[in-house]
């Protein structure tokens, strides 16, 4: 078969440009803008010819230069059109609600406790514990309850064993199929020694109301140590039994019935972050689904870690199903991330995209160009909307609800700003005012 040879000239990429440098559209705009400036300066300036030339050049050169070069890879008129469209279509949301001033004098824990909430700090140095092995999701969904159902029909033990297996896999990578089976069997035996079986009725004492005491990590650890073939699996749990994270392996000692719960993960070591985020997410999901009939909301700032490159498909799949479960049962799931690439790092973004698809409302704040391009491909944004995202200032964003995309600016009251600001300048000024 004969082949043909094509020669590509070195200036191929300069095709369609004036002198290989300027876009034709930019050149036309420079002429359209330059001629009126030249005419007005010549006709109206009350100077001698020398000064007319100097002033005219001072005005003409920047005008024509900006028109030729453009702004941010756009022609001058296209850039102004984008800016005007954003300015005309943007909406301003302002909340002026009255809030107790005392709540805004402090941050984080004081704010939570000021409204009667439960602040939970997870970490090796904290005494707070959420009971990793507790079975909480006892009620049927709000929709089943409306039809006469009050208890879960699915086996709660099987569900918990599956959840704990994933939690374990986040700390010991590349578990074999045999090891996974050992983990599964050891958990079933651990709950069995407490009289808890796959029958949901076994979760309660004889009165049918009081919930039996749940096992702790120590009991699971002891069972793994009993057999030679499972001793190596107990090493991971040592940290939760006699190591630095022992406080995290006990019984629940916080108020899980509080309507406002904040979970702080800031002091978690790097090697425990994934497992702890997963544990906190599971705890919050149980609480949210249990109270789905009252419009409970889960707002997570660290959920992306379970979808990142360091996670595994089991944890990512659980996270995706968790978001869909909360929404399907009357709750609200809010997920935030400072980088869209983090949510798309595992399996080509399969799980991150699944979460985005299940969220009807999305709010996109200022991003760098590379991140904005990624969001454009995922959410099918227009070129104009993508450029708008890169130019947003603090408090501005693109609100996406279905096919409707609206640029908005969010303003808070002074009290709200004082409570949530993390600006070092503001914090220093506040501290100085208190000293004085």
């Amino acid at each position: 078969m004969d082949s043909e040879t094509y020669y590509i000239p070195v200036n191929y990429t300069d095709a369609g440009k004036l002198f290989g440098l300027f876009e034709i559209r930019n050149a036309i705009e420079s002429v359209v803008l330059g001629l009126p400036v030249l005419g007005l300066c010549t006709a109206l300036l009350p100077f001698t010819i020398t000064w007319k030339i100097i002033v005219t050049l001072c005005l003409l050169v920047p005008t024509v230069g900006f028109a030729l070069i453009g702004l941010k890879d756009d022609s001058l008129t296209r850039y102004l059109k984008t800016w005007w469209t954003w300015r005309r279509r943007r909406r301003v949301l302002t909340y002026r609600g009255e809030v107790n001033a005392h709540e805004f004098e402090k941050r984080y824990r004081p704010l939570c406790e000021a409204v009667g909430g439960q602040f939970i700090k997870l970490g090796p140095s904290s005494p707070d514990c959420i009971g990793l092995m507790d079975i909480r999701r006892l009620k049927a969904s709000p929709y089943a309850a409306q039809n006469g159902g009050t208890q879960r029909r699915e086996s709660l033990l099987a569900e918990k064993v599956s959840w704990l297996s994933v939690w374990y896999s986040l700390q010991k990578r590349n578990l074999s199929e045999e090891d996974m089976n050992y983990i599964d069997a050891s958990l079933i035996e651990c709950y069995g020694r407490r009289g808890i079986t796959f029958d949901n009725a076994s979760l309660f004492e004889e009165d049918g109301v009081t919930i039996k005491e749940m096992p702790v990590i120590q009991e699971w650890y002891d069972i793994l140590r009993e057999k030679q073939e499972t001793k190596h699996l107990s090493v991971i749990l040592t940290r939760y039994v006699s190591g630095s994270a022992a406080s995290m392996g006990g019984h629940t000692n916080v108020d899980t019935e509080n309507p406002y719960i904040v979970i702080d993960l800031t002091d978690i070591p790097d090697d425990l972050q994934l497992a702890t985020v997963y544990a906190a997410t599971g705890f919050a999901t149980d609480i949210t689904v249990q109270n789905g009939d009252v419009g409970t909301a889960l707002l997570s700032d660290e959920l992306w870690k379970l979808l990142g490159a360091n996670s595994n498909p089991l944890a990512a799949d659980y996270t995706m199903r968790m978001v869909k479960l909360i929404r399907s049962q009357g709750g609200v799931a809010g997920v935030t991330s400072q980088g869209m690439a983090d949510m798309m790092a595992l399996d080509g973004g399969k799980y991150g995209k699944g979460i985005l698809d299940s969220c009807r409302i999305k709010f996109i704040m200022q991003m760098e160009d590379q991140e904005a391009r990624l969001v454009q491909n995922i959410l099918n944004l227009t070129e104009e909307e993508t450029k708008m995202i890169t130019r947003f200032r603090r408090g501005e964003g693109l609100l996406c609800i279905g096919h409707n995309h609206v640029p908005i600016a969010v303003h808070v009251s002074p009290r709200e700003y004082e409570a949530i600001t993390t600006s070092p300048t503001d914090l220093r000024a506040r501290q100085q005012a208190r000293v004085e």
Side-chain angles (χ1 to χ4, degrees), residues 11-32:
N11 64 342
Y12 174 75
T13 56
D14 296 334
K17 292 184 177 180
L18 188 64
F19 307 123
L21 295 174
F22 305 113
E23 298 284 351
I24 299 298
R25 176 176 178 140
N26 292 13
I28 294 173
E29 289 182 6
S30 67
V31 173
V32 171

Side-chain angles (χ1 to χ4, degrees), residues 301-311 336-347 349 351-352 371 374 378:
D301 194 34
E302 300 289 345
L303 204 61
W304 62 267
K305 290 183 178 178
L306 298 177
L307 310 172
N310 293 326
S311 185
T336 63
S337 174
Q338 293 185 351
M340 187 61 67
D342 296 327
M343 294 188 66
M344 301 294 163
L346 190 64
D347 285 358
Y351 304 103
E371 288 281 348
L374 177 60
I378 297 171

